[in-house]
Amino acid sequence: MIKMQAMIGVSMKTSQLLKIALVPILAISTLVSISNKALADYQRGEGRGGDYLYELWSTDDGSRYYLKIWSDKADPKKDPSSQTGSFESSREALNYFDCNYARKSLPECPNNR
């Protein structure tokens, strides 16, 4: 009987130690996985110009922007896009599209300076 109680006591101590060790490990791994999932890109807009379609995307904190560009004959849901640039603002990204794909003549376009 005493031997059985000793074994139960050791088993309870072992289980308590495992809980003490596992809880911080699980908490840290959960926080890491949540922060990785939180880092996502967001679609900010879409449009067309010339013979092309675009989607404007940004990082989750809005610090960088990029464009996904397709031929206007492509299906954006099925066909792969061409991803361009890393821009500091949505305006910079859209000016890039207008100057290089939509064939607009804007003061911001390098050829018009």
Side-chain angles (χ1 to χ4, degrees):
M1 178 83 163
I2 294 175
K3 202 175 199 183
M4 182 71 114
Q5 287 176 339
M7 286 177 60
I8 291 172
V10 169
S11 175
M12 289 178 68
K13 286 181 183 178
T14 303
S15 110
Q16 288 174 339
L17 285 173
L18 283 174
K19 287 179 186 175
I20 291 171
L22 285 177
V23 168
I25 291 170
L26 291 173
I28 290 170
S29 66
T30 300
L31 289 174
V32 168
S33 71
I34 289 171
S35 67
N36 284 342
K37 290 178 185 173
L39 296 176
D41 291 345
Y42 296 96
Q43 184 177 353
R44 302 293 182 175
E46 60 186 313
R48 63 175 45 240
D51 297 329
Y52 298 93
L53 307 170
Y54 74 83
E55 289 179 351
L56 175 65
W57 290 77
S58 76
T59 54
D60 65 337
D61 63 358
S63 65
R64 304 302 296 171
Y65 294 82
Y66 61 93
L67 295 166
K68 291 183 179 181
I69 299 172
W70 295 267
S71 161
D72 64 354
K73 295 167 185 58
D75 180 353
K77 304 280 188 253
K78 296 179 184 175
D79 297 325
S81 64
S82 168
Q83 186 171 319
T84 63
S86 176
F87 305 97
E88 292 182 10
S89 70
S90 59
R91 173 63 17 220
E92 186 182 340
L94 294 174
N95 283 344
Y96 177 85
F97 179 82
D98 287 342
C99 293
N100 294 289
Y101 290 89
R103 293 184 241 122
K104 290 187 178 178
S105 180
L106 303 173
E108 295 86 355
C109 296
N111 295 338
N112 292 336
R113 293 183 186 160

